[in-house]
Every structure is written in C-alpha cells, then in structure tokens.
Amino acid sequence: MASPWKLSGMQRQVLALYRCFLRAARLKNLEDRQRIVSVVSAEFHHNANNVDRKNFQYIEYLLRRGKRQLEQLKNSTTVSLSTINLNSCALNTITEDKKLASTYH
Amino acid sequence: MATALRIAVLRHIRIPVQALEGFRPASASWNLFRGQNRSLSSHGDEHLEREEVVERVLAVVKSFPKLDPSKVAADSHFQKDLGLDSLDGVEIVMALEEEFKLEIPDKEADKIDSCSVAIEYIFNHPMSG
C-alpha cells in the first residue's frame, strides 16, 4: 500500500479550516451551497498553488482571515461569499443579505 | 366496580374489520419506504457488506470532477495514482461522509489518502449507513 500523506502542522490546520468551510456550506440551501463551495474551493486551490509553502507568516495571516470569514459564513444571514481581485491585491468580501434577514424578524 | 364496568363495555365493543382494511396499502408502502432507507443501527444484520462499501466508495471517487473515472480502482492512491492534492482529498472525504451519513473527525480524515484506506475506515465504522 502507498504511504500516507505527509502533512505538516500548518497543512493540517489549512485542511481543517477547509473542512469547516465545507461543513458550514452544507447548512445553506442547495443553490447558495454550490456557489459558496465553488468560491471557497477556488480560493483554497488558488492559494495552495500560488503561495510559497515556506511563507509561514502569510499563510498564518490567510488562516486567521479564513477563520474570521468562516465565522461570518456560519451566521445564518450570510448567503454569499465573493472574491474580488484588484491587480495583485485580493480583496475578500462577505455579503450579508440584510433583506433576507429582515423577512425573518 | 369500575373495572367490572370497563370489562363489560369492552366486551361489547366490536371494531369492524373493514375499517382496518383501509390502512393496509399505507402500511405496505411505509414498509417499502423503510426498506430503501437503511437504518443507522450499529447492530447485527444492518451492517454494510464489504462489497457494497467498495462499490459506493468507488462510485463517489469516480464522480469527482477532476479525475478520469476509468483510472479509479479499489487500491488507488489519491495523490500518486489519481494526481489529486490534499485539498481534493478533503473534498472526497467530505463526499464520503455524506454518502455514508458519517462525521469523520479531522484526525481520522487526514489519514484517508487512498480508496483502500477509505473503504477500510468506512467498513469498520459502526455507524456507516
């Protein structure tokens, strides 16, 4: 049998965060879920391919930012997640649909 | 006194059989429905057969968009044989969780890096459904 993945502690943290995002997306309706999963998946794969694996400080920063975004996603009023790329600077925004929220109150 | 009265009344009550007939089609379809939905019981004959686990795991892996379904075999390693990275591995394990109605803890999920490990884990998991 082939040998298992060799994962560093930081890689484990990234995978755990990715898993949490996918779990949080499961709680949304199907349409929102598909959109969220495609954005999150693209973001993780993009960073995995483009960020230097030795750039620990930047990865730490991305992990912290991801955790913050995850908390927002878990909020039931959050229905979409979007990434805007401006030149080399990536701005991530989480949109809260206030209209949707107000229908419940 | 009250007991005697109750018995006397009950003796005289007869429920027409025809009334029960009406329930039969409904209960038959309910049984059919139950048969299709495997119970999550961890005991006895409800446990999944190994062949079924292998078949369903391979079906989930083959449905993953980034790989060639014809390359997937029971001993395929996600990274070495199928060219996937660890993020893809996470996605496959999450899909397996949904297929078998499981929640796999991170520590265990990190170890699942091939079809054979996934099959072994799911087959030995008492809650697989």
Side-chain angles (χ1 to χ4, degrees):
Chain A
M1 206 187 356
S3 65
W5 309 110
K6 286 185 187 73
L7 297 171
S8 69
M10 198 170 255
Q11 279 174 311
R12 271 178 226 281
Q13 280 185 58
V14 173
L15 296 184
L17 181 67
Y18 189 38
R19 226 171 262 132
C20 287
F21 265 105
L22 297 180
R23 289 219 164 95
R26 278 182 187 169
L27 305 174
K28 309 286 173 184
N29 71 47
L30 192 65
E31 200 190 323
D32 292 337
R33 179 183 167 175
Q34 285 170 343
R35 231 187 7 242
I36 291 166
V37 167
S38 71
V39 170
V40 171
S41 169
E43 181 77 8
F44 272 85
H45 280 98
H46 177 265
N47 285 328
N49 295 325
N50 293 285
V51 176
D52 177 11
R53 59 174 62 229
K54 295 249 179 334
N55 195 348
F56 303 121
Q57 241 183 339
Y58 184 56
I59 299 170
E60 289 269 15
Y61 158 72
L62 289 173
L63 276 169
R64 277 198 307 276
R65 194 185 68 178
K67 278 174 196 162
R68 227 168 33 235
Q69 288 172 319
L70 177 63
E71 288 314 307
Q72 280 176 279
L73 184 64
K74 280 180 178 168
N75 184 328
S76 61
T77 60
T78 304
V79 293
S80 71
L81 238 160
S82 61
T83 308
I84 305 162
N85 284 306
L86 292 173
N87 302 326
S88 61
C89 155
L91 272 178
N92 277 265
T93 55
I94 289 184
T95 319
E96 281 193 33
D97 193 332
K98 296 287 183 196
K99 263 185 251 163
L100 185 81
S102 64
T103 59
Y104 292 114
H105 297 301
Chain B
M1 178 65 196
T3 322
L5 183 70
R6 188 168 165 265
I7 291 169
V9 169
L10 286 176
R11 280 216 182 106
H12 284 88
I13 292 176
R14 292 288 178 270
I15 297 165
V17 176
Q18 295 92 315
L20 288 169
E21 286 289 326
F23 284 97
R24 217 165 260 174
S27 73
S29 66
W30 185 77
N31 280 335
L32 195 75
F33 178 73
R34 249 187 83 76
Q36 288 170 340
N37 284 279
R38 194 173 274 276
S39 131
L40 289 176
S41 160
S42 60
H43 308 289
D45 53 357
E46 291 283 358
H47 195 68
L48 297 177
E49 295 292 328
R50 194 182 178 86
E51 283 165 36
E52 194 195 332
V53 174
V54 173
E55 200 179 299
R56 285 166 64 193
V57 167
L58 294 186
V60 169
V61 178
K62 282 177 186 175
S63 69
F64 194 70
K66 289 182 201 167
L67 50 77
D68 177 1
S70 64
K71 283 187 185 165
V72 179
D75 60 352
S76 300
H77 189 273
F78 295 157
Q79 193 175 22
K80 291 178 185 165
D81 302 319
L82 304 174
L84 301 175
D85 61 23
S86 53
L87 289 171
D88 299 321
V90 167
E91 286 171 39
I92 288 180
V93 172
M94 297 291 287
L96 289 171
E97 277 192 349
E98 284 190 74
E99 169 68 22
F100 292 92
K101 304 179 194 77
L102 294 173
E103 179 126 345
I104 305 175
D106 286 356
K107 220 180 147 193
E108 303 298 326
D110 280 340
K111 291 181 198 156
I112 300 176
D113 59 356
S114 64
C115 295
S116 52
V117 176
I119 291 164
E120 219 45 52
Y121 180 83
I122 291 165
F123 180 64
N124 291 316
H125 198 295
M127 300 298 278
S128 301

